[in-house]
Structure formats: structure tokens, C-alpha cells
Amino acid sequence: MLTTLATAAPYWHGSGFPFFVFPAFFFLAFLVVFLVFGVFRRGSWRALSDARSVLADRFARGEIGAEEYRARRSELSRK
């Protein structure tokens, strides 16, 4: 038994370091960075939505005409 262990010992891959930790760590780090930048960018999306709603309200009240509404909406869509 001892001789079998001595001959197999250099090639025995027992419970070593769990290498799945590296991909899991990088995946979690990427996810955190993605979520943080997503939260920061959400403010600009909200501002664009607010601008469209203000434009729609002005059009509904009759302050601007249909052509001006379409022109300004298309300008907002490009940004």
C-alpha cells in the first residue's frame, strides 16, 4: 500500500485549489461594474424621458404646433 501511494503521489490531484473561483470572481466583478455604470447612466435616460413628456405636454396644451412637435421630438431621438 505504501509503495502504491509513493508511486502515485506525484500524480495524485487531490482536493487542491478550486479554480472555478477565478471565473466566478471575474464574472461577479464584471456584473458589479456593469450595474454601477447602468445606475449612473439611468439618470440621462430619465432626463430624456422627462424632456419628451414636457414636449408632449406643450403640444397637448397647444403651445407648439404639430410640425414643431415632430421636429423637436426627432431632435430628441437623435441624442
Side-chain angles (χ1 to χ4, degrees), residues 2 8-9 30 42 46 52 58 60-61 63 73 75 77:
L2 194 55
F30 177 75
R42 188 181 308 162
R46 188 176 302 134
R52 286 182 180 156
R58 289 186 63 198
R61 286 192 301 259
E63 294 177 9
R73 183 154 173 99
E75 185 66 31
S77 297

Side-chain angles (χ1 to χ4, degrees), residues 8-43:
Y11 306 105
W12 181 62
H13 302 291
S15 58
F17 185 77
F19 287 101
F20 67 89
V21 171
F22 287 118
F25 171 75
F26 286 115
F27 176 75
L28 288 175
F30 177 75
L31 185 65
V32 166
V33 168
F34 181 75
L35 289 175
V36 166
F37 281 109
V39 167
F40 286 139
R41 290 199 57 174
R42 188 181 308 162

